[in-house]
Amino acid sequence: GRLLVGFPRSRAVFLVRHYDQVIASQLAASPGSFPGPMLAEIDRTSPSLWSWAPELRAELYAAFYVDTVERYRALAASALGASIRCLRYETLVRDPVAAVTAVATFFGLEVGDALDAVRAELRCDAKARVRGVQTEFVAPAQRAATRFRSPIRDALERAWSEPLPGELAA
């Protein structure tokens, strides 16, 4: 939101992915990954916490997901709402042509050759970090939400399933 305020003619697209994939990805990443500063502070000040409550890391990621979606909803409801749109990652994968066309139209850009680059990127959802070599990514066949107690699971499901304002290629 601060960038949109500082640059009033700018626009932004919020890319949102299903919480299962987001939480699984964050749990597989190193502790310094996003939202790293919060977790690094917990690691530094209370290293025993994770051994006592290992599920807490997943619950923190779940809360961060819900809060991020809520911040997007609040921004979309504000005076800056006309400057932002939302795109679900699953929509992008399902129909990249329609999704990229909708994003380009929102930004006032020509689609051009960007579609070939997007298709190639979607085929390689995760990238090896060594020498820039891309590797195919197979999502784990697990549902993160099944591990959570009802209030957390319900909040995640609401954050994901309720329509998002300004959603592109819905």
Side-chain angles (χ1 to χ4, degrees):
R2 286 180 283 183
L3 285 175
L4 293 172
V5 170
F7 300 92
R9 296 186 332 186
S10 62
R11 293 173 176 231
V13 173
F14 173 67
L15 185 65
V16 63
R17 190 168 191 188
H18 192 274
Y19 54 83
D20 279 335
Q21 298 304 317
V22 171
I23 294 169
S25 175
Q26 290 173 323
L27 287 171
S30 66
S33 69
F34 188 74
M38 175 180 63
L39 295 180
E41 186 62 18
I42 292 171
D43 286 342
R44 186 183 72 72
T45 59
S46 185
S48 298
L49 182 61
W50 303 129
S51 64
W52 293 346
E55 74 283 355
L56 186 57
R57 189 178 294 269
E59 290 177 2
L60 283 169
Y61 288 136
F64 193 82
Y65 181 93
V66 169
D67 292 344
T68 299
V69 171
E70 288 308 310
R71 281 192 296 274
Y72 170 78
R73 289 181 192 283
L75 186 61
S78 76
L80 297 171
S83 300
I84 63 167
R85 294 293 179 271
C86 175
L87 176 65
R88 292 178 191 264
Y89 176 84
E90 291 73 12
T91 300
L92 177 62
V93 171
R94 184 179 60 251
D95 192 352
V97 173
V100 170
T101 300
V103 170
T105 300
F106 174 64
F107 285 124
L109 304 171
E110 295 292 323
V111 175
D113 296 329
L115 286 177
D116 289 334
V118 168
R119 284 189 187 108
E121 189 69 21
L122 289 173
R123 280 192 301 273
C124 300
D125 188 39
K127 297 163 210 61
R129 298 194 192 280
V130 180
R131 291 184 229 95
V133 177
Q134 292 182 333
T135 57
E136 292 294 329
F137 174 73
V138 179
Q142 63 182 17
R143 291 197 44 86
T146 59
R147 296 191 303 259
F148 295 127
R149 293 170 283 131
S150 181
I152 298 170
R153 188 175 54 250
D154 295 347
L156 285 166
E157 192 54 37
R158 272 192 312 278
W160 169 254
S161 62
E162 291 178 2
L164 292 164
E167 191 167 341
L168 295 173

